[in-house]
Structures are given as structure tokens and as C-alpha cells.
Amino acid sequence: MATSTTTQLLSTVEHRDTLPEGYARPESDRPRLAEVATDSNIPLIDLASHDKPRVIDEIGQACRSYGFFQVTNHGIPEELLLKVMAVALEFFRLPPEEKEKLYSDEPSKKIRLSTSFNVRKETVHNWRDYLRLHCHPLEEFVPEWPSNPAQFKEIISTYCREVRLLGLRLLGAISLSLGLEEDYIEKVLGEQEQHMAVNYYPRCPEPDLTYGLPKHTDPNALTILLPDPHVAGLQVLRDGDQWIAVNPRPNALVINLGDQLQALSNGEYRSVWHRAVVNAVQERMSVASFLCPCNSAVIGPARKLVADGDAPVYRSYTYDEYYKKFWSRNLDQEHCLELFRGQ
């Protein structure tokens, strides 16, 4: 119904003075923005470097110690990145009746505009609207994508192709960094699905009380994030208790390891706890692309990474089993992989 859509989507109403009901977190679960640190050592990897062994080594170090890294010279043209952000913002500025056509709070729907994370299940909402798109194979899903703005399908599908190539290249590098064959991870994951979340975080009257997204790990294999070039909001957890602000760098993409790479690496690499915070001054956009194993893929630690006589850290499971478990829980509960530890 139009009324539920327009009242639920944050991007259709300006909230000037106070948070609407249902968004304020309890005192014990607030972002404490004053305690967030910066880290000048966040890994920044130049993918155009001619020293390939060094690049592989840097990726391995980043996966081991941070669970994420930033990449430059990744091969996706700057002009395309700018077009993606511009057409995404244009979409969220469409009139409510246009956005209503795509609105749904059904998590299993493959193409939908929604708000928060899982409004049917959660008790406190998040300060975010998002457009969720399935992206592979493109010819199957693009017809259902928004046809307004007029250039949306063309720009976003071009970006999706580029991101997939980059993601597969990075999975090869991560395989090599673990001492595995370059195509090991790609083979295990099967014909990977690809999803996208186009995130819109409006200006927030009380950013200390809420999140854009609370602390979580990604359930998939690899996430490639195109951040807003002008407004910071992504934060990652280091050493279990210190939140670090990830400030945008010109033309850099942020690469997050998902839970499946933590499992495949037998816990040697870690999927990163991260969150999105909001601010009172500027709206913020981000575009997250998710490479996901096919549902029937059997995920478990690579044999080569389990020492003789040791039990693997995680049992084997299908991605379908994992994904259902992930969505049955609250986003910020304990790490979902804890439920798949070996006996």
C-alpha cells in the first residue's frame, strides 16, 4: 500500500529534529562515535603493481590481520564509478509513487526497495533505505530492474560486469595467498550468484542513537564496496573491541571477506565485523556487491589447510544451509559461523 511505503521509507520524508519512534537503540547498544579511532595502516593495495608476489602477500596479510582491504588501480574506470553513484542517488530522489512500485519487505524477493534490514523481524530499525538487486545472470534479472532513471539499467549492469571480473580476480589472489591453486576458491564456490545493495543513508537528526547498519559480518564469500567518495560511514572492528573509521580514498574500493572465506581458510582468514554509522550533516550513499556461492556449493576448510591429525575448525555445509541460518537470526548476534564449528 502506498501509505505504508511512503511512511516506512526514510528517503521520502525529511526528519529534522528527532528520531522517529523505533530507531533509538538502547543505551548499551549505541555507536559511541567519540570512541571511534582512525588507523593509518588500513591495507591499501595497488592492483596495478608489477610485483605480483608482493601483491599476493599484501592481500594475505590484510586477510589475516584485518579481514578487509582497499584496492586502487582495480581496472574499473573512475568515470563509471561516478556514474554509478550519480544514478543511484537519482533513484532515491524519485517521487514516492515511483519508488512504491518496487517496495517490499519480503527478504526472499530478488529485486526490491526496502528500508532498515529486515523490518518484519527486527525490534529496532536502522537508518537506511536500500535497493536490493540480483545481478547474475544479468539477462535474467535486468528486465525487472528499475527503468527509471532512464540510464539506470545500462550504468548498473556495466558496473556489475566489471565488479564480477574484479571479484573473480581477487578470489584467485586470495587462493594463491593461502598456498592453494589459483582457481581453488572459484571452483569450490561454483557458479556464483551476484547481488547488490544500493544503500541510502539520509541525514539523521540524532546519529548517536542509531545505526545505518549495526555490527555484522557478511554471509557470502566476498563483498566489493563502492563507498561514497565524500562522506565516511563504514567502520570495522579491530582486536575485538576497537571500532576503526574507514575513510574513503579517491577511486578506491573496499574489499570485505565474507564468512565463507573464513570457513574455507580454516579460520586463518577472518570475515570482518563492520557497521555503518550515520551523521546529521550529509546524506551518504554506498553500493555493495556480493559474490555468493551457488546454493548447492559445499563449503568447508580446504584439506591442504588442515594439519595432519587435526580436526578442521568448521564442519562442511551447503551455502543454502548457511544462508537460511543467517537470515533466521538477528543481524548482530554472535558470528553465524560459530554454529558450524567442527565437533
Coordinates of all heavy atoms in Angstrom, one line a residue, residues 218-307:
D218 N 29.5 -10.4 6.8 CA 28.7 -10.7 5.6 C 28.7 -12.3 5.4 O 29.7 -12.9 5.5 CB 29.4 -10.1 4.4 CG 29.2 -8.6 4.3 OD1 28.3 -8.1 5.1 OD2 30.0 -7.9 3.6
P219 N 27.5 -12.8 5.1 CA 27.4 -14.3 5.0 C 27.9 -14.9 3.7 O 28.1 -16.1 3.6 CB 25.9 -14.5 5.0 CG 25.3 -13.3 4.4 CD 26.2 -12.1 4.8
N220 N 28.3 -14.0 2.7 CA 28.7 -14.5 1.4 C 30.2 -14.8 1.4 O 30.8 -15.0 2.4 CB 28.3 -13.5 0.4 CG 28.8 -12.1 0.7 OD1 28.4 -11.5 1.7 ND2 29.6 -11.5 -0.1
A221 N 30.8 -14.8 0.2 CA 32.2 -15.0 0.1 C 33.1 -13.7 0.1 O 34.0 -13.6 0.9 CB 32.5 -15.8 -1.2
L222 N 32.7 -12.8 -0.8 CA 33.5 -11.6 -1.0 C 32.5 -10.4 -1.3 O 31.6 -10.6 -2.0 CB 34.4 -11.7 -2.2 CG 35.6 -10.7 -2.3 CD1 36.6 -11.0 -1.2 CD2 36.3 -10.8 -3.7
T223 N 32.8 -9.3 -0.6 CA 32.0 -8.1 -0.8 C 32.9 -7.0 -1.4 O 33.9 -6.7 -0.8 CB 31.3 -7.6 0.5 OG1 30.5 -8.7 1.0 CG2 30.5 -6.4 0.3
I224 N 32.4 -6.4 -2.4 CA 33.1 -5.2 -3.0 C 32.3 -4.0 -2.8 O 31.2 -3.9 -3.4 CB 33.4 -5.5 -4.5 CG1 34.3 -6.7 -4.7 CG2 34.1 -4.3 -5.2 CD1 34.5 -7.2 -6.1
L225 N 32.8 -3.1 -2.1 CA 32.0 -1.9 -1.7 C 32.5 -0.6 -2.4 O 33.7 -0.3 -2.3 CB 32.1 -1.6 -0.2 CG 31.3 -0.4 0.3 CD1 29.8 -0.8 0.4 CD2 31.8 0.1 1.7
L226 N 31.6 0.0 -3.1 CA 31.9 1.4 -3.7 C 31.4 2.4 -2.7 O 30.2 2.5 -2.5 CB 31.2 1.5 -5.0 CG 31.2 2.9 -5.7 CD1 32.6 3.4 -5.9 CD2 30.4 2.9 -6.9
P227 N 32.3 3.0 -1.9 CA 31.8 3.9 -0.9 C 31.6 5.3 -1.4 O 32.0 5.7 -2.5 CB 33.0 4.0 0.1 CG 34.2 3.7 -0.8 CD 33.8 2.9 -2.0
D228 N 30.8 6.1 -0.7 CA 30.6 7.5 -1.0 C 31.9 8.2 -1.0 O 32.7 8.0 0.0 CB 29.7 8.1 0.1 CG 29.2 9.5 -0.3 OD1 30.0 10.3 -0.7 OD2 28.0 9.7 -0.3
P229 N 32.3 8.9 -2.1 CA 33.7 9.4 -2.1 C 33.9 10.6 -1.1 O 35.0 11.0 -0.8 CB 33.8 9.9 -3.5 CG 32.5 10.1 -4.1 CD 31.6 9.1 -3.3
H230 N 32.8 11.2 -0.6 CA 32.9 12.4 0.2 C 32.5 12.2 1.6 O 32.8 13.1 2.5 CB 32.0 13.5 -0.4 CG 32.3 13.7 -1.9 ND1 33.5 14.2 -2.4 CD2 31.5 13.5 -3.0 CE1 33.4 14.2 -3.7 NE2 32.2 13.9 -4.1
V231 N 31.8 11.2 2.0 CA 31.2 11.1 3.3 C 31.6 9.7 3.9 O 31.3 8.7 3.3 CB 29.7 11.2 3.3 CG1 29.1 11.3 4.8 CG2 29.2 12.4 2.5
A232 N 32.3 9.7 5.1 CA 32.6 8.4 5.7 C 31.4 7.9 6.5 O 30.5 8.6 6.9 CB 33.8 8.7 6.7
G233 N 31.4 6.6 6.7 CA 30.4 5.9 7.5 C 30.7 4.5 7.8 O 30.1 4.0 8.8
L234 N 31.5 3.9 7.0 CA 31.9 2.5 7.3 C 32.9 2.4 8.4 O 33.8 3.2 8.5 CB 32.5 1.9 6.0 CG 33.1 0.5 6.2 CD1 32.1 -0.6 6.5 CD2 33.9 0.1 4.9
Q235 N 32.6 1.5 9.3 CA 33.6 1.3 10.5 C 33.8 -0.2 10.6 O 32.9 -1.0 10.4 CB 33.0 1.9 11.8 CG 32.9 3.4 11.6 CD 32.3 4.0 12.9 OE1 31.9 3.4 13.8 NE2 32.3 5.3 12.9
V236 N 35.0 -0.6 11.0 CA 35.3 -2.1 11.2 C 35.9 -2.3 12.6 O 36.5 -1.4 13.2 CB 36.4 -2.6 10.1 CG1 35.8 -2.4 8.7 CG2 37.7 -1.9 10.2
L237 N 35.7 -3.5 13.1 CA 36.1 -3.8 14.4 C 37.5 -4.5 14.4 O 37.8 -5.4 13.6 CB 35.1 -4.8 15.0 CG 35.3 -5.0 16.5 CD1 35.0 -3.8 17.3 CD2 34.2 -6.1 17.0
R238 N 38.4 -3.9 15.2 CA 39.8 -4.5 15.3 C 40.0 -5.0 16.7 O 39.7 -4.3 17.7 CB 40.8 -3.4 15.0 CG 40.9 -3.1 13.5 CD 42.3 -3.1 13.0 NE 43.0 -4.4 13.1 CZ 44.3 -4.6 13.0 NH1 45.1 -3.5 12.9 NH2 44.8 -5.8 13.1
D239 N 40.7 -6.1 16.8 CA 41.1 -6.7 18.1 C 39.9 -6.9 19.0 O 40.1 -6.8 20.2 CB 42.2 -5.8 18.7 CG 43.4 -5.6 17.8 OD1 43.8 -6.6 17.1 OD2 43.9 -4.5 17.7
G240 N 38.7 -7.0 18.5 CA 37.6 -7.4 19.3 C 36.9 -6.3 20.0 O 35.8 -6.4 20.5
D241 N 37.5 -5.1 20.1 CA 36.9 -4.0 20.9 C 37.1 -2.6 20.4 O 36.5 -1.7 20.9 CB 37.3 -4.1 22.3 CG 38.9 -3.9 22.5 OD1 39.5 -3.8 21.4 OD2 39.4 -3.9 23.6
Q242 N 37.9 -2.4 19.3 CA 38.1 -1.0 18.9 C 37.5 -0.8 17.5 O 37.9 -1.5 16.5 CB 39.6 -0.7 18.8 CG 40.0 0.7 18.3 CD 39.4 1.8 19.2 OE1 39.8 1.9 20.4 NE2 38.5 2.5 18.7
W243 N 36.6 0.1 17.4 CA 36.0 0.5 16.1 C 36.9 1.5 15.4 O 37.4 2.4 16.0 CB 34.6 1.0 16.3 CG 33.6 0.0 16.6 CD1 33.1 -0.3 17.8 CD2 33.0 -1.0 15.7 NE1 32.2 -1.4 17.7 CE2 32.2 -1.8 16.4 CE3 33.2 -1.2 14.3 CZ2 31.5 -2.8 15.8 CZ3 32.5 -2.2 13.7 CH2 31.6 -3.0 14.4
I244 N 37.1 1.2 14.1 CA 38.0 2.0 13.3 C 37.2 2.6 12.1 O 36.5 1.9 11.4 CB 39.2 1.1 12.6 CG1 39.9 0.4 13.7 CG2 40.1 1.9 11.8 CD1 40.8 1.2 14.5
A245 N 37.3 3.9 11.9 CA 36.7 4.5 10.8 C 37.5 4.2 9.5 O 38.7 4.4 9.5 CB 36.6 6.0 11.0
V246 N 36.7 3.8 8.4 CA 37.4 3.6 7.1 C 37.0 4.8 6.3 O 35.9 4.9 5.7 CB 36.9 2.3 6.5 CG1 37.6 2.0 5.2 CG2 37.1 1.1 7.5
N247 N 37.9 5.7 6.1 CA 37.7 6.9 5.4 C 37.9 6.6 3.9 O 38.8 5.9 3.5 CB 38.6 8.0 5.8 CG 38.3 8.5 7.3 OD1 37.1 8.5 7.6 ND2 39.3 8.7 8.1
P248 N 37.0 7.2 3.1 CA 37.1 6.9 1.6 C 38.3 7.5 1.0 O 38.8 8.6 1.4 CB 35.8 7.6 1.0 CG 35.4 8.6 2.1 CD 35.8 8.1 3.4
R249 N 38.9 6.8 0.1 CA 40.1 7.2 -0.7 C 39.7 7.4 -2.1 O 38.9 6.6 -2.6 CB 41.2 6.2 -0.6 CG 41.9 6.1 0.8 CD 42.9 5.0 0.8 NE 43.6 4.9 2.1 CZ 44.8 5.5 2.3 NH1 45.4 6.2 1.4 NH2 45.4 5.4 3.5
P250 N 40.3 8.3 -2.8 CA 39.9 8.6 -4.2 C 40.0 7.3 -5.1 O 41.0 6.6 -5.1 CB 40.9 9.6 -4.7 CG 41.4 10.3 -3.4 CD 41.3 9.3 -2.4
N251 N 38.9 6.9 -5.7 CA 38.8 5.8 -6.6 C 39.1 4.5 -6.0 O 39.4 3.5 -6.8 CB 39.6 6.1 -7.9 CG 39.3 7.4 -8.5 OD1 38.1 7.7 -8.6 ND2 40.3 8.2 -8.9
A252 N 39.2 4.3 -4.7 CA 39.5 3.1 -4.1 C 38.2 2.3 -3.8 O 37.1 2.9 -3.5 CB 40.3 3.2 -2.8
L253 N 38.2 1.0 -3.9 CA 37.1 0.1 -3.5 C 37.5 -0.6 -2.2 O 38.7 -0.9 -2.0 CB 36.8 -0.9 -4.6 CG 36.3 -0.3 -5.9 CD1 36.3 -1.4 -7.0 CD2 35.0 0.4 -5.8
V254 N 36.5 -0.9 -1.4 CA 36.7 -1.6 -0.2 C 36.3 -3.1 -0.4 O 35.2 -3.4 -0.9 CB 35.9 -1.0 1.0 CG1 36.1 -1.8 2.3 CG2 36.2 0.5 1.2
I255 N 37.2 -4.0 0.0 CA 37.0 -5.4 -0.2 C 36.8 -6.1 1.2 O 37.8 -6.0 2.0 CB 38.2 -6.1 -0.9 CG1 38.6 -5.3 -2.2 CG2 37.8 -7.5 -1.2 CD1 37.5 -5.1 -3.2
N256 N 35.7 -6.6 1.5 CA 35.4 -7.3 2.7 C 35.4 -8.8 2.5 O 34.7 -9.3 1.6 CB 34.0 -6.9 3.3 CG 34.0 -5.6 3.9 OD1 35.0 -4.9 4.1 ND2 32.8 -5.1 4.3
L257 N 36.1 -9.5 3.4 CA 36.0 -11.0 3.4 C 34.7 -11.4 4.0 O 34.3 -10.9 5.1 CB 37.1 -11.6 4.2 CG 38.5 -11.5 3.6 CD1 39.4 -12.6 4.3 CD2 38.6 -11.6 2.1
G258 N 33.9 -12.3 3.4 CA 32.7 -12.8 4.0 C 33.0 -14.1 4.8 O 34.1 -14.7 4.7
D259 N 31.9 -14.6 5.4 CA 32.0 -15.8 6.3 C 32.6 -17.0 5.5 O 33.3 -17.8 6.1 CB 30.7 -16.1 6.9 CG 30.1 -15.0 7.8 OD1 30.9 -14.1 8.1 OD2 28.9 -15.1 8.1
Q260 N 32.2 -17.1 4.2 CA 32.6 -18.3 3.5 C 34.1 -18.4 3.3 O 34.7 -19.5 3.3 CB 31.9 -18.5 2.2 CG 30.4 -18.3 2.3 CD 29.8 -19.1 3.4 OE1 30.1 -20.3 3.6 NE2 29.0 -18.5 4.3
L261 N 34.8 -17.3 3.2 CA 36.3 -17.3 3.1 C 36.9 -17.6 4.4 O 38.0 -18.2 4.5 CB 36.8 -16.0 2.5 CG 36.4 -15.8 1.0 CD1 37.1 -14.6 0.5 CD2 36.7 -17.0 0.1
Q262 N 36.3 -17.2 5.5 CA 36.8 -17.6 6.8 C 36.7 -19.1 7.0 O 37.7 -19.8 7.5 CB 36.0 -16.9 7.9 CG 36.5 -17.3 9.3 CD 36.0 -16.4 10.4 OE1 35.8 -15.2 10.2 NE2 35.7 -17.0 11.6
A263 N 35.6 -19.7 6.5 CA 35.5 -21.2 6.6 C 36.4 -21.9 5.7 O 37.1 -22.9 6.1 CB 34.0 -21.6 6.3
L264 N 36.6 -21.5 4.5 CA 37.5 -22.1 3.5 C 38.9 -22.1 3.9 O 39.7 -23.0 3.7 CB 37.3 -21.5 2.1 CG 36.1 -21.9 1.3 CD1 35.9 -20.9 0.1 CD2 36.3 -23.3 0.8
S265 N 39.3 -21.0 4.7 CA 40.7 -20.8 5.1 C 40.9 -21.5 6.4 O 42.0 -21.4 7.0 CB 41.0 -19.3 5.2 OG 40.4 -18.8 6.3
N266 N 39.9 -22.3 6.9 CA 40.0 -23.0 8.2 C 40.3 -22.0 9.4 O 41.0 -22.3 10.3 CB 41.1 -24.0 8.2 CG 41.0 -25.1 9.3 OD1 39.8 -25.5 9.6 ND2 42.1 -25.5 9.9
G267 N 39.7 -20.8 9.2 CA 39.8 -19.8 10.3 C 41.1 -18.9 10.2 O 41.3 -18.0 11.0
E268 N 42.0 -19.2 9.2 CA 43.2 -18.4 9.1 C 42.9 -17.0 8.7 O 43.5 -16.0 9.1 CB 44.1 -19.1 8.0 CG 45.5 -18.4 8.0 CD 46.5 -19.1 7.0 OE1 46.3 -20.3 6.8 OE2 47.4 -18.5 6.6
Y269 N 41.9 -16.8 7.8 CA 41.5 -15.5 7.4 C 40.1 -15.2 8.1 O 39.4 -16.2 8.4 CB 41.3 -15.4 5.9 CG 42.5 -15.4 5.1 CD1 42.5 -15.5 3.7 CD2 43.8 -15.4 5.7 CE1 43.7 -15.5 2.9 CE2 45.0 -15.5 4.9 CZ 44.9 -15.5 3.6 OH 46.0 -15.6 2.8
R270 N 39.8 -14.0 8.3 CA 38.6 -13.7 9.1 C 37.6 -12.8 8.3 O 38.1 -11.9 7.6 CB 38.9 -13.1 10.4 CG 40.1 -12.2 10.4 CD 40.5 -11.9 11.8 NE 40.2 -10.5 12.2 CZ 40.9 -9.8 13.0 NH1 42.0 -10.3 13.6 NH2 40.6 -8.5 13.2
S271 N 36.4 -13.1 8.4 CA 35.4 -12.2 7.9 C 35.2 -11.1 8.9 O 35.3 -11.3 10.1 CB 34.1 -12.9 7.6 OG 33.4 -13.2 8.8
V272 N 35.1 -9.9 8.4 CA 35.3 -8.7 9.2 C 33.9 -8.2 9.8 O 32.9 -8.2 9.1 CB 36.0 -7.5 8.4 CG1 35.1 -7.1 7.3 CG2 36.3 -6.4 9.3
W273 N 33.9 -8.0 11.1 CA 32.8 -7.3 11.7 C 32.8 -5.9 11.3 O 33.8 -5.2 11.4 CB 32.9 -7.4 13.3 CG 32.6 -8.7 13.9 CD1 33.5 -9.6 14.3 CD2 31.3 -9.3 14.1 NE1 32.8 -10.7 14.8 CE2 31.5 -10.5 14.7 CE3 30.0 -8.8 13.9 CZ2 30.4 -11.4 15.1 CZ3 28.9 -9.7 14.2 CH2 29.1 -10.9 14.8
H274 N 31.7 -5.4 10.8 CA 31.7 -4.0 10.4 C 30.3 -3.4 10.6 O 29.3 -4.2 10.8 CB 32.1 -3.9 8.9 CG 31.3 -4.7 7.9 ND1 31.4 -6.1 7.9 CD2 30.4 -4.4 7.0 CE1 30.6 -6.6 6.9 NE2 30.0 -5.5 6.4
R275 N 30.2 -2.1 10.5 CA 28.9 -1.4 10.7 C 28.9 -0.1 9.9 O 29.9 0.3 9.5 CB 28.7 -1.1 12.2 CG 29.6 -0.1 12.8 CD 29.5 0.1 14.3 NE 30.3 1.2 14.8 CZ 30.4 1.6 16.0 NH1 29.7 0.9 17.0 NH2 31.1 2.6 16.4
A276 N 27.7 0.4 9.7 CA 27.5 1.7 9.1 C 26.9 2.7 10.1 O 25.9 2.4 10.7 CB 26.6 1.6 7.8
V277 N 27.6 3.8 10.2 CA 27.0 4.9 11.1 C 26.5 6.0 10.2 O 26.9 6.1 9.0 CB 28.1 5.4 12.1 CG1 28.5 4.2 13.0 CG2 29.3 6.0 11.4
V278 N 25.7 6.9 10.8 CA 25.1 8.0 10.0 C 25.5 9.3 10.7 O 26.2 9.4 11.7 CB 23.6 7.8 10.0 CG1 23.2 6.6 9.2 CG2 23.0 7.7 11.4
N279 N 25.2 10.4 10.0 CA 25.6 11.7 10.5 C 24.5 12.7 10.3 O 23.5 12.5 9.5 CB 26.9 12.2 9.9 CG 26.8 12.6 8.5 OD1 26.4 13.7 8.2 ND2 27.1 11.7 7.6
A280 N 24.6 13.9 11.0 CA 23.5 14.9 11.0 C 23.6 15.9 9.8 O 22.7 16.6 9.6 CB 23.5 15.6 12.3
V281 N 24.8 15.8 9.1 CA 25.1 16.9 8.2 C 24.8 16.5 6.8 O 24.3 17.3 6.0 CB 26.6 17.4 8.4 CG1 26.9 18.5 7.4 CG2 26.8 17.8 9.8
Q282 N 25.2 15.3 6.4 CA 25.2 14.9 5.0 C 24.6 13.5 4.8 O 24.8 12.6 5.6 CB 26.6 14.8 4.4 CG 27.3 16.2 4.3 CD 28.8 16.0 3.8 OE1 29.6 15.6 4.6 NE2 29.1 16.3 2.6
E283 N 23.8 13.4 3.7 CA 23.3 12.1 3.3 C 24.5 11.3 2.8 O 25.5 11.9 2.4 CB 22.3 12.2 2.2 CG 22.8 12.9 0.9 CD 21.7 13.2 -0.1 OE1 20.5 12.9 0.2 OE2 22.0 13.8 -1.1
R284 N 24.4 10.0 2.7 CA 25.5 9.2 2.2 C 25.0 8.0 1.4 O 23.9 7.5 1.7 CB 26.3 8.6 3.4 CG 27.6 7.8 3.0 CD 28.4 7.5 4.3 NE 27.9 6.4 5.0 CZ 28.2 5.1 4.8 NH1 29.0 4.8 3.8 NH2 27.7 4.1 5.5
M285 N 25.8 7.7 0.4 CA 25.4 6.5 -0.5 C 26.5 5.5 -0.4 O 27.7 5.8 -0.1 CB 25.3 6.9 -1.9 CG 24.3 8.0 -2.3 SD 22.7 7.4 -2.4 CE 22.8 5.9 -3.4
S286 N 26.2 4.2 -0.6 CA 27.2 3.2 -0.9 C 26.6 2.1 -1.8 O 25.4 2.0 -1.8 CB 27.8 2.6 0.4 OG 26.9 1.8 1.0
V287 N 27.4 1.4 -2.5 CA 27.0 0.4 -3.4 C 27.8 -0.9 -3.1 O 29.0 -0.9 -3.3 CB 27.1 0.7 -4.9 CG1 26.6 -0.4 -5.7 CG2 26.3 2.0 -5.2
A288 N 27.1 -1.9 -2.4 CA 27.8 -3.1 -2.1 C 27.5 -4.2 -3.0 O 26.3 -4.4 -3.3 CB 27.4 -3.5 -0.6
S289 N 28.5 -4.9 -3.6 CA 28.3 -6.0 -4.5 C 28.8 -7.3 -3.8 O 29.9 -7.3 -3.2 CB 29.1 -5.8 -5.8 OG 28.6 -4.7 -6.5
F290 N 27.9 -8.3 -3.8 CA 28.2 -9.5 -3.1 C 28.4 -10.7 -4.0 O 27.5 -11.0 -4.8 CB 27.0 -9.8 -2.1 CG 26.6 -8.7 -1.2 CD1 25.6 -7.9 -1.5 CD2 27.3 -8.5 0.0 CE1 25.2 -6.8 -0.7 CE2 27.0 -7.4 0.8 CZ 25.9 -6.6 0.5
L291 N 29.5 -11.3 -4.0 CA 29.7 -12.6 -4.7 C 29.4 -13.7 -3.7 O 29.9 -13.8 -2.6 CB 31.2 -12.7 -5.2 CG 31.6 -11.9 -6.4 CD1 33.0 -12.2 -6.8 CD2 30.6 -12.2 -7.6
C292 N 28.5 -14.6 -4.1 CA 27.9 -15.6 -3.2 C 28.1 -17.0 -3.8 O 27.9 -17.2 -5.0 CB 26.4 -15.4 -3.0 SG 26.0 -13.7 -2.6
P293 N 28.4 -18.0 -3.0 CA 28.5 -19.4 -3.6 C 27.1 -19.8 -4.2 O 26.1 -19.2 -3.7 CB 28.8 -20.2 -2.4 CG 29.4 -19.3 -1.3 CD 28.7 -18.0 -1.6
C294 N 27.1 -20.7 -5.1 CA 25.8 -21.2 -5.5 C 25.3 -22.0 -4.3 O 26.0 -22.5 -3.5 CB 25.9 -22.0 -6.8 SG 26.7 -23.6 -6.6
N295 N 23.9 -22.1 -4.3 CA 23.3 -22.7 -3.1 C 23.7 -24.1 -2.7 O 23.8 -24.5 -1.6 CB 21.8 -22.6 -3.2 CG 21.2 -21.3 -2.9 OD1 21.8 -20.5 -2.2 ND2 20.0 -21.0 -3.4
S296 N 24.1 -24.9 -3.8 CA 24.4 -26.3 -3.6 C 25.9 -26.4 -3.3 O 26.4 -27.5 -3.0 CB 24.1 -27.1 -4.8 OG 24.8 -26.6 -5.9
A297 N 26.7 -25.3 -3.3 CA 28.1 -25.5 -3.1 C 28.4 -26.0 -1.6 O 27.7 -25.5 -0.7 CB 28.8 -24.1 -3.2
V298 N 29.3 -26.9 -1.5 CA 29.6 -27.5 -0.2 C 30.9 -26.8 0.3 O 31.9 -26.8 -0.4 CB 29.9 -29.0 -0.3 CG1 30.3 -29.5 1.1 CG2 28.6 -29.7 -0.8
I299 N 30.7 -26.0 1.4 CA 31.8 -25.2 1.9 C 32.4 -25.9 3.1 O 31.7 -26.4 4.0 CB 31.2 -23.8 2.4 CG1 30.4 -23.2 1.3 CG2 32.3 -22.9 2.8 CD1 31.1 -22.7 0.0
G300 N 33.7 -25.9 3.2 CA 34.4 -26.4 4.4 C 35.9 -26.1 4.2 O 36.3 -25.7 3.1
P301 N 36.7 -26.2 5.3 CA 38.1 -25.9 5.2 C 38.8 -26.7 4.1 O 38.5 -27.9 3.9 CB 38.6 -26.2 6.6 CG 37.4 -26.0 7.5 CD 36.3 -26.5 6.7
A302 N 39.7 -26.0 3.3 CA 40.5 -26.7 2.3 C 41.4 -27.7 3.0 O 42.0 -27.4 4.0 CB 41.3 -25.7 1.6
R303 N 41.4 -29.0 2.5 CA 42.2 -30.0 3.1 C 43.6 -29.6 3.4 O 44.2 -29.9 4.4 CB 42.1 -31.3 2.3 CG 40.9 -32.1 2.5 CD 41.1 -33.6 2.1 NE 39.8 -34.2 1.9 CZ 39.3 -34.5 0.7 NH1 40.0 -34.2 -0.3 NH2 38.2 -35.1 0.6
K304 N 44.2 -28.9 2.4 CA 45.6 -28.5 2.5 C 45.9 -27.6 3.7 O 47.0 -27.5 4.1 CB 46.0 -27.8 1.2 CG 47.4 -27.6 1.0 CD 47.7 -27.0 -0.4 CE 49.2 -26.7 -0.5 NZ 49.5 -26.1 -1.9
L305 N 44.8 -27.0 4.2 CA 45.0 -26.0 5.3 C 44.7 -26.6 6.7 O 44.8 -25.9 7.7 CB 44.1 -24.8 5.1 CG 44.3 -24.0 3.8 CD1 43.3 -22.9 3.6 CD2 45.7 -23.6 3.6
V306 N 44.4 -27.9 6.7 CA 44.2 -28.6 8.0 C 45.4 -29.5 8.2 O 45.6 -30.4 7.4 CB 42.9 -29.4 7.9 CG1 42.6 -30.1 9.3 CG2 41.7 -28.6 7.6
A307 N 46.1 -29.3 9.3 CA 47.3 -30.0 9.6 C 46.9 -31.5 9.8 O 45.9 -31.8 10.3 CB 48.0 -29.4 10.8

